[in-house]
Amino acid sequence: MAGSVNKVILVGNLGKDPESRSFANGGKVVSFSVATSEGWKDKNTGERKDKTEWHNVSIFSDGLARVAEQYLKKGSKVYLEGQLETRKWQDKDGNDRYSTDVVLRNFNSSMVLLDGREGGGGGGGGGGYERTNRDDAPRGNYQNRGAATGGRPPAFDADLDDDVPF
């Protein structure tokens, strides 16, 4: 099928500290879960209702993985762009199991850290991590779209000559 799109955008909070695993070939994956929530008022009862969805996230991009390892903690608010990938495996009883993850892989993935410099994880305990107010803490957008342009793709006309003959 030509012209299909597999794009996911999430804004949510980490449910646990990121976990990192290394591969024999030198690559790594950083994994964590992100909670997205929506709230509404029940029309019949007037009661406030909430629904939370949990999303498994796997980062295979080296640059984004390093940022996630260094700066994300349980409770961190993050914006993610990636794609859905479904894995199949067998459980201990030999039954086929499936899991769908949001995957950030090299091209066309991005991550924006949404916590302020003062705030941070908000997880309160858990693993002995402490958010510090460091001046070298990152701000903003981490993307795989051209590091030389500050994470943004170059403008279409950036390399055009002024001497175009038309």
Side-chain angles (χ1 to χ4, degrees):
M1 170 197 265
S4 61
V5 175
N6 180 356
K7 180 82 165 187
V8 175
I9 297 174
L10 292 177
V11 177
N13 296 84
L14 270 68
K16 61 181 180 177
D17 291 336
E19 296 176 2
S20 179
R21 292 186 316 273
S22 296
F23 302 122
N25 67 4
K28 74 164 93 174
V29 61
V30 174
S31 303
F32 51 88
S33 59
V34 171
T36 57
S37 299
E38 63 177 312
W40 69 94
K41 191 177 213 180
D42 187 300
K43 291 181 181 180
N44 296 328
T45 65
E47 181 182 356
R48 178 90 178 132
K49 301 275 187 171
D50 292 303
K51 179 180 178 186
T52 300
E53 292 286 336
W54 288 94
H55 312 276
N56 294 322
V57 178
S58 298
I59 301 177
F60 290 93
S61 163
D62 288 337
L64 294 179
R66 278 192 304 272
V67 170
E69 284 178 309
Q70 190 170 359
Y71 297 106
L72 292 181
K73 305 287 180 241
K74 179 180 179 178
S76 295
K77 190 170 195 79
V78 66
Y79 169 97
L80 302 168
E81 287 185 23
Q83 63 186 33
L84 292 178
E85 290 186 15
T86 301
R87 297 180 289 126
K88 177 183 174 183
W89 76 93
Q90 291 187 341
D91 65 14
K92 62 181 178 178
D93 298 325
N95 298 316
D96 287 343
R97 298 290 183 187
Y98 298 88
S99 173
T100 301
D101 293 355
V102 175
V103 175
L104 282 69
R105 192 182 304 280
N106 299 327
F107 182 71
N108 220 11
S109 295
S110 66
M111 173 172 56
V112 180
L113 310 180
L114 298 176
D115 288 326
R117 296 181 81 155
E118 297 293 319
Y129 289 99
E130 179 180 343
R131 240 354 226 221
T132 60
N133 301 327
R134 296 180 358 205
D135 288 336
D136 64 341
R139 294 171 119 188
N141 204 344
Y142 295 89
Q143 300 181 343
N144 288 325
R145 294 189 182 140
T149 59
R152 297 188 188 280
F156 168 74
D157 59 354
D159 62 346
L160 293 179
D161 239 335
D162 286 347
D163 299 330
V164 179
F166 53 86

